[in-house]
Amino acid sequence: MGTIDGLPPLRDVIRTHELVARKQLGQNFLLDLNLTAKIARSAGDLSGCDVLEVGPGPGGLTRGLLAEGARRVVAVEKDARCLPALAEIADAYPGRLTVLHGDALELDLAAHLTAPVKIVANLPYNVGTELLIRWLTPAAWPPLWSSLTLMFQKEVAERIVAKPRTDHYGRLALLAQYRCDAKIVMTLPPEAFTPAPKVHSAVVHLTALPQPRFPCDFKVLQRITAMAFNQRRKMVRASLKGLAPGIEGILESVGIPPTARAEEIGLEAFCALARAVA
Ligand code: SAM
């Protein structure tokens, strides 16, 4: 059966280039081009944007991004075995696909991108959270990218969008929601991937806010949330005892009951506490 871009079906690409999935590289491939196009569409209008993709693998999502009209895709792949398959895609879309061979954690990716930038990726599970944290904590805000559309294990996706008083609420939710709108736009069963992972997956879409949702010193906020969530079942008057003298009074002054636990405190209250402590 033909494909919309005239390139071979992904099963053939995998067979031709002998891309047997490697677990240590987090390789769970998406082989359904309708699905990869749908993920690309969930990133919004790509025309006029550079898209950064980490881990293109055999190129299913890359093809979706190009077919959906990305001005240019910059794709970073660690596994050299994937490069010939990606070169075929680059030939089919002249001048629109740049493939970088290397580790996304080590390369200077910003140097290869021109604004506006969107980041779209089916991330390798072993580096996904670290990459997200780096993208959420650049030296300056607003960041180079305007949105992140990222596939994670469902449990990680739930931690990113979680609200207070829920099991998944914690530092990742606060970090993401401090400077972004975050929502889950798609969930996928294990069978959507080859090989099938053990868990469900989900795509999270994060849009960068022009400035943080509530003002405060980001470093102080990080310090407070680290202390509070390291002992998430303890009352904050105990977990934050070392933060400042008279912590009970400070908590009360910003409307946080000293007997509250970290998981009950929302982003706005944490930011108010960061301002009071600073
Ligand atoms: N995008 C493809 C898809 O959706 O079918 C592949 C996704 S697979 C979950 C993750 C990809 O990331 C693999 O191709 C793997 O080789 C690559 N990868 C793993 N670690 C990486 C790293 N540190 N830097 C860049 N790519 C990496």
Side-chain angles (χ1 to χ4, degrees):
M1 206 173 68
T3 56
I4 50 164
D5 51 16
L7 289 160
L10 285 157
R11 284 192 192 284
D12 294 355
V13 173
I14 285 185
R15 201 176 312 116
T16 309
H17 297 284
E18 299 179 18
L19 298 177
V20 177
R22 291 195 177 148
K23 204 173 171 187
Q24 66 273 29
L25 284 170
Q27 291 183 334
N28 300 99
F29 300 132
L30 290 166
L31 302 187
D32 177 349
L33 288 167
N34 291 317
L35 184 57
T36 60
K38 193 172 162 196
I39 296 168
R41 281 196 294 279
S42 72
D45 185 9
L46 300 178
S47 58
C49 291
D50 275 11
V51 176
L52 172 65
E53 184 191 3
V54 172
L61 182 54
T62 320
R63 288 164 64 174
L65 294 166
L66 290 162
E68 290 302 317
R71 171 177 70 192
R72 201 164 71 96
V73 175
V74 175
V76 192
E77 177 54 63
K78 192 170 175 181
D79 185 354
R81 296 179 308 152
C82 300
L83 301 181
L86 296 168
E88 288 171 11
I89 305 172
D91 287 345
Y93 289 94
R96 290 179 55 201
L97 173 60
T98 303
V99 178
L100 306 175
H101 178 216
D103 186 333
L105 293 171
E106 283 167 17
L107 293 176
D108 176 13
L109 301 176
H112 297 272
L113 296 161
T114 307
V117 174
K118 291 186 172 185
I119 301 180
V120 186
N122 173 15
L123 291 172
Y125 73 95
N126 46 345
V127 293
T129 313
E130 175 155 4
L131 282 168
L132 174 67
I133 290 171
R134 286 189 190 191
W135 289 327
L136 291 173
T137 54
W141 197 270
L144 175 63
W145 51 269
S146 59
S147 69
L148 307 172
T149 307
L150 305 172
M151 178 93 69
F152 290 100
Q153 296 176 44
K154 187 159 172 261
E155 192 258 332
V156 176
E158 284 170 343
R159 281 169 48 209
I160 295 167
V161 304
K163 298 292 174 208
R165 297 173 189 276
T166 63
D167 287 348
H168 290 102
Y169 183 63
R171 292 179 70 194
L172 197 57
L174 287 160
L175 178 60
Q177 296 168 37
Y178 175 57
R179 300 200 271 210
C180 294
D181 283 330
K183 61 180 178 188
I184 291 180
V185 290
M186 208 184 287
T187 53
L188 288 93
E191 313 81 76
F193 301 85
T194 303
K198 288 199 175 69
V199 294
H200 281 63
S201 300
V203 177
V204 186
H205 184 71
L206 298 114
T207 315
L209 299 171
Q211 58 203 25
R213 202 175 296 277
F214 305 106
C216 72
D217 182 321
F218 180 53
K219 286 213 161 64
V220 178
L221 177 66
Q222 281 190 307
R223 186 157 161 247
I224 291 174
T225 54
M227 288 175 79
F229 282 97
N230 276 347
Q231 297 171 299
R232 61 185 287 141
R233 307 266 169 235
K234 274 200 174 171
M235 293 177 190
V236 279
R237 69 173 175 214
S239 57
L240 298 181
K241 204 163 77 187
L243 187 64
I247 189 65
E248 287 211 22
I250 300 175
L251 287 164
E252 275 165 355
S253 75
V254 297
I256 300 176
T259 53
R261 293 163 213 280
E263 60 203 12
E264 298 163 353
I265 301 170
L267 174 61
E268 185 168 10
F270 270 120
C271 291
L273 180 60
R275 287 196 300 277
V277 168

